[in-house]
Amino acid sequence: MEFRLSDKSLLPALIALLLLGSCISLAVGAMTIGWRDVLAGLMQWSWPGMLDQEVPEQYALVLGEIRLPRLLLGLIVGGTLGVCGAVMQGMFRNPLAEPGIIGISSGAAVGAGIVLVFGGVLSIWLGAFYQELQWLLLPAFASTGAIFATWLVYILGDRGRSVVMMLLAGIAISALAGAALGMFAYVATDTALRDMTMWQLGSLSGATWTGVLVTGCIFAISAGLLWARANDLNALLLGESEARHLGVDVIGLKRQIIVLNGIAVGAAVSVSGIIGFVGLVVPHIVRLLRGPDHRYLIPYSALLGGLLLTVADTIARSVFAPAEMPVGILTALLGAPFFLFLLWQQRQQIF
């Protein structure tokens, strides 16, 4: 039986859950902070001296410098993965397409690993420009790796028509990326090796305001441009020939999607590492609730992706507090059974 919600009920429900999840994320952690102290601490941090009441300075610092940027980064990264997963599944016309599964996140991790491990060599090449460009190098290299991996999957997967070749290409790219990251780890310093290990597990613990600003701008631009092609993606669901008859520049659309997805995923991976299965699970849930229309699928996937990653990160840093579980492990535990279920559903097509 098909169950669909209208925009009047789904959008307010998602926004309400997002606000509730954000408040819980700010309050819960190694240090539990009450609701009133959360609000007072945020006001104290953003506008010192505005409140008459005394707020512990420790609360203001924890909220303003640690939990708020981490919350915003989780919303941005989760939204990015949700949007990219929805658009890629539309382009490939396949429900198994997801940045983590078909090797795109691994390609981005290789690009980011080059900057992390060989930053000293890059500083010699770039000279005085290195310090000025350092904030941009990580997302730029990660995006380049993601774009190359997406293009490779698209070509080897018979332009998205072969599920088997697409999955095999993803396995090959992930294996190649794993070998490259292993080589980087072999020559890396202790600091770089620790950062790379956290990357491969996926974590939001390195959230900074610079990362929030950079990835937020990239996410807003990429998601906006992809949303503008929602009608073309709807036409592509009918088939490439049918889309061409409807006036869609199919080749141009696919090139735009590959570049925008690569840039957005690369930026997300550069600040959070490899967080898998969010881009797989979220679009499926939205399709069940609202249908496959990309005009609604893309923005709702952004909201639900941000909500899912925020909740997962809150659980990951609260269950074993003061220790912290990398959030990528938790999303894999939740998403892997869902992926196996999709494979079971498509076994006739694959074999």
Side-chain angles (χ1 to χ4, degrees):
M1 184 176 68
E2 197 173 73
F3 176 75
R4 296 282 170 85
L5 293 175
S6 66
D7 295 322
K8 291 182 180 178
S9 55
L10 181 58
L11 184 60
L14 279 178
I15 293 175
L17 289 173
L18 203 59
L19 291 174
L20 179 62
S22 299
C23 292
I24 294 175
S25 177
L26 290 173
V28 175
M31 174 194 294
T32 302
I33 303 176
W35 300 104
R36 293 181 179 178
D37 289 331
V38 168
L39 294 175
L42 288 176
M43 294 177 70
Q44 177 70 24
W45 172 80
S46 59
W47 197 339
M50 187 176 70
L51 294 179
D52 293 333
Q53 71 179 88
E54 290 290 331
V55 179
E57 186 178 355
Q58 190 178 13
Y59 286 178
L61 287 175
V62 168
L63 290 169
E65 300 297 334
I66 299 176
R67 291 191 185 174
L68 188 57
R70 184 167 183 153
L71 166 66
L72 294 176
L73 195 67
L75 295 175
I76 292 169
V77 172
T80 298
L81 296 175
V83 169
C84 291
V87 173
M88 289 184 62
Q89 289 170 13
M91 185 183 79
F92 284 105
R93 282 181 292 153
N94 192 288
L96 299 178
E98 194 265 343
I101 293 175
I102 59 178
I104 297 173
S105 296
S106 298
V110 171
I114 291 174
V115 177
L116 187 64
V117 176
F118 301 106
V121 178
L122 292 174
S123 66
I124 295 173
W125 286 351
L126 296 174
F129 293 106
Y130 180 76
Q131 291 298 331
E132 298 179 9
L133 297 176
Q134 192 174 11
W135 63 273
L136 186 61
L137 288 177
L138 210 56
F141 271 71
S143 296
T144 303
I147 291 172
F148 180 71
T150 308
W151 174 79
L152 208 55
V153 169
Y154 177 68
I155 296 299
L156 294 176
D158 193 18
R159 299 181 183 276
R161 288 189 287 267
S162 172
V163 179
V164 175
M165 289 303 296
M166 185 183 73
L167 291 176
L168 290 176
I171 292 171
I173 290 172
S174 297
L176 190 61
L181 291 172
M183 186 183 69
F184 293 165
Y186 185 73
V187 299
T189 61
D190 291 342
T191 303
L193 181 60
R194 185 173 61 252
D195 291 341
M196 284 186 59
T197 302
M198 292 303 293
W199 250 343
Q200 294 179 57
L201 295 176
S203 175
L204 299 174
S205 60
T208 63
W209 283 110
T210 302
V212 170
L213 182 63
V214 173
T215 54
C217 291
I218 292 174
F219 166 66
I221 295 171
S222 302
L225 291 174
L226 290 170
W227 192 28
R229 305 301 300 268
N231 286 325
D232 294 339
L233 280 166
N234 288 338
L236 194 61
L237 291 179
L238 302 173
E240 292 191 12
S241 298
E242 289 78 2
R244 288 193 185 92
H245 286 303
L246 293 172
V248 177
D249 177 9
V250 175
I251 300 299
L253 174 64
K254 290 185 174 181
R255 286 175 179 169
Q256 186 178 5
I257 290 173
I258 288 173
V259 172
L260 290 175
N261 265 287
I263 292 173
V265 172
V269 170
S270 70
V271 294
S272 67
I274 301 175
I275 298 176
F277 298 105
V278 174
L280 176 74
V281 175
V282 166
H284 280 281
I285 297 175
V286 176
R287 281 195 197 91
L288 289 173
L289 296 176
R290 185 56 182 82
D293 189 339
H294 285 85
R295 293 176 299 171
Y296 306 100
L297 181 63
I298 291 174
Y300 288 155
S301 294
L303 291 174
L304 189 58
L307 172 64
L308 181 63
L309 191 54
T310 297
V311 172
D313 182 58
T314 304
I315 296 172
R317 61 184 171 80
S318 303
V319 172
F320 300 109
E324 182 179 313
M325 176 195 296
V327 69
I329 295 177
L330 191 60
T331 58
L333 287 173
L334 297 174
F338 188 77
F339 178 64
L340 292 173
F341 171 72
L342 290 178
L343 278 179
W344 179 77
Q345 275 193 323
Q346 293 214 341
R347 65 191 189 282
Q348 294 297 335
Q349 179 183 345
I350 294 176
F351 298 107

